[in-house]
Amino acid sequence: RIDSLLAQARSGVAQKLPGQVALVGGGPGDPDLITIRGLNLLRQADVVLYDNLVNADLLDYARRDAEKIYVGKRRAFKGIRQEAINDLMVSHAQQGLQVVRLKGGDPFVFGRGGEEIERLAANGIPFLVVPGISAALGGASYAGIPLTHRTVSQSVRFVTGHRATDRANLDWPELAKPAQTLVIYMGLPALPDILAQLIAHGLPKQTPAALIEKATLPAERVIEGTIENLAERVAAAAVTGPTLIIIGEVVGYRVTSPALPHG
């Protein structure tokens, strides 16, 4: 439906488009990683609601007269609540506006996209979701770390290290199993606890691990180590984030290309 309405608009059909919302994954940081469809919708939008993990360069592709509203949430900063974001999407769409909810990474990977489309559907708002390259996929690729390798890893687990209390609450026995790759989002504050729990539940201390800071951006840093020493190395490097943590034998297969730098 949205594609046909946009086609009518481009052909000059004099018809006011009904309000609708597109949840667009902006990718992990590098603005070149947004999809063509996401970029086209961004250029059509009347209103753009964007997160703090969205590269500001992407906003330059929006129309000059588009309203751009920051709705990000940062660690240790209260920010705008999810319910308020949902209200903004609904209210703007009900005014007949074309809304893009621009999110870092992919809307459905720790992006609360499911909550947002549930609210839109409950209010009868037409919507679509444009997938984005997730932080895990983009970060690992730019860092040269294969997430799977047929000799050491046949599965990948995406988990969040965000702590609801003072400790990361994860299924440690499952995460400490061999022959898999762990990708941990939002794990920097709980990194020492996460690594200690993995060791306590049987993952060998020499298991390779890496932390990627500012993934896919020019300022990207990759700190390598093992689950025994990574927290110490990250603390010494004064990492601030955003970060992604990759744990597993695949980290030992990291290869970078000096001939083809990113950017």
Side-chain angles (χ1 to χ4, degrees):
R1 176 183 176 180
I2 290 181
D3 286 341
S4 65
L5 291 169
L6 290 176
Q8 290 177 4
R10 294 191 187 104
S11 65
V13 176
Q15 177 180 348
K16 181 176 177 58
L17 299 176
Q20 52 200 342
V21 178
L23 273 63
V24 174
D30 185 340
D32 288 346
L33 295 181
I34 192 172
T35 65
I36 293 174
R37 190 174 199 190
L39 190 62
N40 286 338
L41 287 166
L42 180 59
R43 287 169 170 160
Q44 298 281 340
D46 299 308
V47 180
V48 180
L49 309 176
Y50 65 98
D51 286 345
N52 60 289
L53 292 179
V54 168
N55 192 318
D57 290 346
L58 285 176
L59 299 177
D60 293 337
Y61 291 101
R63 296 194 335 244
R64 290 187 178 182
D65 62 336
E67 184 179 5
K68 304 173 187 70
I69 304 173
Y70 173 73
V71 293
K73 305 184 230 11
R74 294 187 178 94
R75 181 167 60 92
F77 175 71
K78 197 169 186 179
I80 186 169
R81 296 181 63 85
Q82 184 62 48
E83 189 60 28
I85 297 172
N86 295 345
D87 289 343
L88 284 170
M89 289 190 299
V90 170
S91 64
H92 282 94
Q94 288 176 337
Q95 296 173 45
L97 300 175
Q98 309 304 297
V99 180
V100 162
R101 173 73 171 99
L102 186 60
K103 308 168 78 70
D106 180 273
F108 282 176
V109 181
F110 301 124
R112 298 191 178 182
E115 298 175 39
E116 293 176 349
I117 64 170
E118 184 177 3
R119 175 66 183 279
L120 294 171
N123 284 269
I125 305 296
F127 66 86
L128 81 161
V129 180
V130 180
I133 296 176
S134 69
L137 300 181
S141 295
Y142 273 46
I145 300 173
L147 289 180
T148 61
H149 195 291
R150 62 179 178 171
T151 63
V152 297
S153 177
Q154 291 78 48
S155 67
V156 183
R157 290 175 180 257
F158 298 153
V159 298
T160 174
H162 177 71
R163 299 176 295 182
T165 59
D166 62 343
R167 297 177 68 84
N169 183 23
L170 299 171
D171 188 346
W172 301 115
E174 284 295 316
L175 298 183
K177 287 183 176 179
Q180 65 179 343
T181 302
L182 303 181
V183 180
I184 303 172
Y185 287 69
M186 298 170 281
L188 180 59
L191 181 59
D193 181 39
I194 290 170
L195 300 180
Q197 290 285 355
L198 291 173
I199 292 171
H201 286 83
L203 198 62
K205 293 181 179 180
Q206 295 308 307
T207 301
L211 180 140
I212 306 171
E213 180 185 27
K214 297 181 172 64
T216 77
L217 295 173
E220 175 184 288
R221 286 197 296 171
V222 180
I223 300 170
E224 294 184 72
T226 67
I227 61 172
E228 183 178 31
N229 62 25
L230 183 64
E232 180 181 349
R233 294 185 178 188
V234 168
V239 170
T240 59
T243 63
L244 188 76
I245 300 160
I246 302 177
I247 297 172
E249 296 297 332
V250 292
V251 176
Y253 287 79
R254 183 186 180 214
V255 177
T256 58
S257 170
L260 295 172
H262 295 294

